[in-house]
């Protein structure tokens, strides 16, 4: 038998695999708003921890007088004195 376009069998394509869309699957299977909120909160918590964890101690340190050559004196609370000196500098 000679194969012509009319009698050639078309391959069976699994429609389930060809139409797979992960975003569509997510919207169909995850309908609980609390679960979605927890998933978003987890990502936000991770990002904020990575960003703000190194920054907060530096802000605290900026309000203290700390001399690296006189470590035995410890830290002294400077309030806004260091920022006032910074603003009074002509270079700044």
């Amino acid at each position: 038998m000679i194969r012509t376009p009319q009698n050639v069998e078309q391959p069976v394509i699994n429609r389930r695999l060809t139409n797979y869309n992960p975003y569509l699957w997510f919207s169909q299977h995850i309908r609980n708003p609390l679960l979605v909120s927890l998933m978003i909160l987890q990502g936000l918590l991770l990002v904020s921890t990575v960003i703000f964890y190194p920054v907060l101690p530096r802000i605290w340190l900026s309000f203290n007088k700390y001399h690296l050559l006189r470590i035995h004196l410890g830290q002294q609370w400077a309030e806004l004195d260091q920022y006032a000196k910074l603003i009074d500098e002509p270079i700044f």
Side-chain angles (χ1 to χ4, degrees):
M1 179 174 175
I2 299 174
R3 289 188 171 199
T4 61
Q6 290 83 16
N7 65 1
V8 173
E9 294 180 21
Q10 296 295 325
V12 178
I13 298 173
N14 190 349
R15 292 181 190 263
R16 203 168 167 198
L17 293 177
T18 58
N19 294 333
Y20 178 71
N21 184 349
Y23 300 110
L24 182 62
W25 180 91
F26 187 79
S27 66
Q28 289 175 348
H29 291 84
I30 310 282
R31 294 181 188 261
N32 187 355
L34 180 62
L35 181 62
V36 173
S37 300
L38 288 175
M39 293 172 104
I40 293 172
L41 183 65
Q42 178 184 358
L44 289 175
L45 184 65
L46 177 68
V47 170
S48 62
T49 302
V50 169
I51 291 174
F52 292 119
Y53 180 72
V55 173
L56 293 176
R58 302 315 173 258
I59 293 172
W60 174 259
L61 190 60
S62 72
F63 288 105
N64 290 301
K65 289 182 181 177
Y66 188 73
H67 299 282
L68 291 176
L69 298 176
R70 300 179 192 155
I71 296 175
H72 63 279
L73 295 177
Q75 295 180 355
Q76 298 172 352
W77 185 250
E79 296 179 4
L80 296 174
D81 294 340
Q82 297 193 50
Y83 290 105
K85 288 180 187 177
L86 181 67
I87 292 172
D88 289 339
E89 287 288 326
I91 296 173
F92 183 71

